[in-house]
Amino acid sequence: MVNERKIETRGRKPKQSMSQSFDINSVKLFRGSELQFSESLFRPMKTKTELDVILSTEGGLMPGVNLMLAGGPGSGKITLVIDDLAKFTQLGFKTLFISGEMDEIGHYKYCKRMPSFGCVQTLFLKDYMMNVKEVIEHVFDQGYDVIGIDSIAEVLEMYRDQNGGTAKQAEMWFLHLQDKVKKGHNKGKYYTSFINIQQMTKGEEFVGSNRLKHLMEAFAAVERSKDGLERSIHFEKNRDCDKDFKVYFSIYGGGVYYSYEMEKE
């Protein structure tokens, strides 16, 4: 796992400026009444689980949003995200899972344990470590309803290995690209929603800068109890939802099961 605050720049390529000559005439101001988007932006994508209630007030994941799930090792973040993608795929939505940590063998073993995950289209970034910027920009431009990414830290580290520069510059590239694609600026004109996984250290410290968290529409903490029996997801911030409670989930028997409260023995 990568802690960007501890990354040394020694041995990296020289820093490259991401700024370009700026045209002050490109600055535009809008009133809310002047903005126009397709009505499809307001049709939620439902997982048909208890999770829908905390994803949005309408029930389900709204199009065109960036959300982040953060949690410690073994909390269930990856399983939660792929389970959502599998459910969306089975309901006819176009989804993609981008794995910066697993390779094909690891993912194959994962799908053997969780058979429903096998339907999710997956990109393995380890196969493109020297061209990660071009590959991600290419697949984003194809157009998807939902893209899950594991993890932001790995993507940004690969980007810096390829292009040099600072962690801030890598974050700016990542955030700008997602912002463009979620607004429908892709070949398929999809209002893509992004489910971004971010790591927490064992000391429960957030990996990376708080800028990433603050510039997401939603931020959720995924937690696992010390005895390992209880897992939960709780949105600390969600602009699409006014609900404020945890949804619990269990991983067993090849599936993920959700509930509002843990059953009492």
Side-chain angles (χ1 to χ4, degrees):
M1 269 173 256
V2 180
N3 189 328
E4 295 219 1
R5 288 174 294 186
K6 296 181 180 178
I7 292 174
E8 296 182 0
T9 58
R10 183 169 44 195
R12 293 191 183 278
K13 295 180 180 180
K15 293 182 180 179
Q16 298 176 353
S17 174
M18 294 183 67
S19 62
Q20 299 177 346
S21 57
F22 179 68
D23 180 7
I24 197 67
N25 295 316
S26 66
V27 176
K28 298 179 181 180
L29 304 178
F30 293 96
R31 300 180 190 276
S33 58
E34 297 171 333
L35 298 174
Q36 292 186 344
F37 290 95
S38 166
E39 284 301 309
S40 63
L41 195 63
F42 305 99
R43 298 175 193 146
M45 296 172 281
K46 298 181 181 292
T47 66
K48 297 190 176 181
T49 70
E50 288 82 353
L51 196 60
D52 287 339
V53 177
I54 61 171
L55 287 173
S56 72
T57 301
E58 288 78 5
L61 179 65
M62 300 302 292
V65 300
N66 303 66
L67 67 85
M68 180 186 292
L69 302 186
S75 58
K77 305 179 300 297
I78 300 173
T79 302
L80 192 67
V81 170
I82 304 181
D83 185 60
D84 289 344
L85 294 176
K87 287 179 168 56
F88 290 138
T89 301
Q90 290 162 0
L91 292 169
F93 294 104
K94 186 179 178 183
T95 73
L96 174 68
F97 179 60
I98 297 179
S99 177
E101 300 187 7
M102 282 191 289
D103 60 14
E104 291 89 339
I105 292 177
H107 191 66
Y108 174 76
K109 292 177 179 178
Y110 204 15
C111 292
K112 289 289 282 186
R113 296 196 304 273
M114 313 289 285
S116 66
F117 293 2
C119 67
V120 179
Q121 192 173 35
T122 303
L123 170 70
F124 300 100
L125 281 184
K126 286 185 177 181
D127 294 338
Y128 308 99
M129 294 180 68
M130 302 304 296
N131 305 98
V132 65
K133 177 179 182 291
E134 293 81 4
V135 169
I136 287 181
E137 290 176 353
H138 169 74
V139 295
F140 277 18
D141 191 47
Q142 302 312 299
Y144 289 88
D145 290 299
V146 189
I147 296 177
I149 299 176
D150 175 39
S151 63
I152 295 177
E154 291 297 337
V155 169
L156 297 186
E157 178 68 355
M158 290 182 188
Y159 174 89
R160 293 182 66 199
D161 285 342
Q162 176 190 351
N163 299 280
T166 65
K168 181 178 179 181
Q169 288 172 324
E171 288 178 0
M172 287 174 61
W173 163 77
F174 182 79
L175 291 168
H176 173 73
L177 182 60
Q178 286 201 352
D179 186 66
K180 180 181 76 170
V181 174
K182 77 172 191 176
K183 292 176 181 176
H185 299 301
N186 53 73
K187 290 179 180 177
K189 301 191 182 304
Y190 285 79
Y191 292 125
T192 302
S193 289
F194 291 92
I195 306 177
N196 300 291
I197 293 175
Q198 187 63 312
Q199 305 290 356
M200 300 285 282
T201 67
K202 291 184 178 179
E204 297 186 351
E205 293 183 6
F206 184 78
V207 176
S209 77
N210 282 325
R211 181 188 306 109
L212 286 168
K213 182 194 299 186
H214 294 155
L215 293 181
M216 298 282 165
E217 278 86 14
F219 175 82
V222 181
E223 300 175 337
R224 187 177 186 181
S225 61
K226 291 183 179 180
D227 61 14
L229 299 177
E230 182 178 290
R231 304 174 194 258
S232 66
I233 174 172
H234 173 252
F235 278 93
E236 298 180 8
K237 174 182 80 171
N238 189 348
R239 295 173 187 165
D240 281 331
C241 189
D242 55 7
K243 303 291 190 304
D244 184 24
F245 56 86
K246 292 183 178 181
V247 166
Y248 294 89
F249 65 99
S250 301
I251 304 169
Y252 65 89
V256 182
Y257 303 89
Y258 301 87
S259 63
Y260 296 127
E261 296 182 358
M262 297 298 291
E263 294 182 2
K264 308 297 183 182
E265 295 292 339

